[in-house]
Amino acid sequence: IDEENGTKIVGISEPAQLIRSGMNSYGISLNCSTLLSYKDVRGVTIPTNFIRRRIIKATNFDEEKKVIAGFHPCVSLNYVITSAKDQDAIVYATTNRGIITQGNDILADPAIDRFVTEDKHHQRHFRGQRLQYLLQKKQGEITKEYLQECLRDHYGYPASVCNHAGDEGLQTIAS
């Protein structure tokens, strides 16, 4: 997309939707997940697809922060917004219940679970449960360093949050 102000945008979208995830020529990137939760509510708010477009049109990190500060969604979602210029990131998550965690699986109510079977290493959604446990221990006091510590967690290896078993020579982002 070439905006009238000169911003160039590359993104991913579904049919009949605005961009869900992408980046722009100012070094702003947006990665989104809309999550399913029984805690979602009906309400009046700006639709998330319009918010995503506002974020991806931003020319700097402060603009992104203003968009997120005024956003009060009624549905569960998470956004990871980054700025190459500012070398900074915003992780915005809401589930209408506090902390949400995602560790290549989403901790969900069994009533809406996707029937993922147990494997030989762990029971369903172990990584998400472990991440939720670690983050809830410091709810309200989570720092960048603590988040990195959580992502390096090897409890329950090889099915741990930091899961790089079998990835010859590869590391997770927090290793």
Side-chain angles (χ1 to χ4, degrees), residues 30 46-73 79 81 90 92:
L30 168 67
I46 299 172
T48 60
N49 49 354
F50 293 128
I51 293 296
R52 291 191 308 257
R53 182 57 185 251
R54 284 185 186 173
I55 292 167
I56 204 69
K57 285 175 59 174
T59 60
N60 61 62
F61 208 54
D62 288 335
E63 284 181 44
E64 293 179 316
K65 289 178 185 177
K66 286 178 186 170
V67 172
I68 288 298
F71 184 38
H72 306 288
Y79 291 173
I81 307 163
I90 299 171
Y92 177 83

Side-chain angles (χ1 to χ4, degrees), residues 84-99:
K85 179 182 173 192
D86 296 299
Q87 302 249 325
D88 207 348
I90 299 171
V91 177
Y92 177 83
T94 179
T95 60
N96 298 312
R97 67 176 185 257
I99 291 178

Side-chain angles (χ1 to χ4, degrees), residues 97-103 105-108 124-142 146-147 149-151 153-156 160-161:
R97 67 176 185 257
I99 291 178
I100 182 152
T101 55
Q102 184 173 343
D105 57 47
I106 298 169
L107 183 61
R124 307 153 56 135
H125 304 298
F126 172 79
R127 296 173 77 200
Q129 289 172 340
R130 176 68 179 167
L131 203 48
Q132 182 176 26
Y133 167 77
L134 292 170
L135 293 174
Q136 282 183 334
K137 283 174 39 175
K138 299 240 182 186
Q139 187 168 2
E141 304 168 4
I142 297 171
Y146 184 70
L147 186 56
E149 182 183 323
C150 292
L151 293 173
D153 183 69
H154 283 94
Y155 180 84
S160 55
V161 172

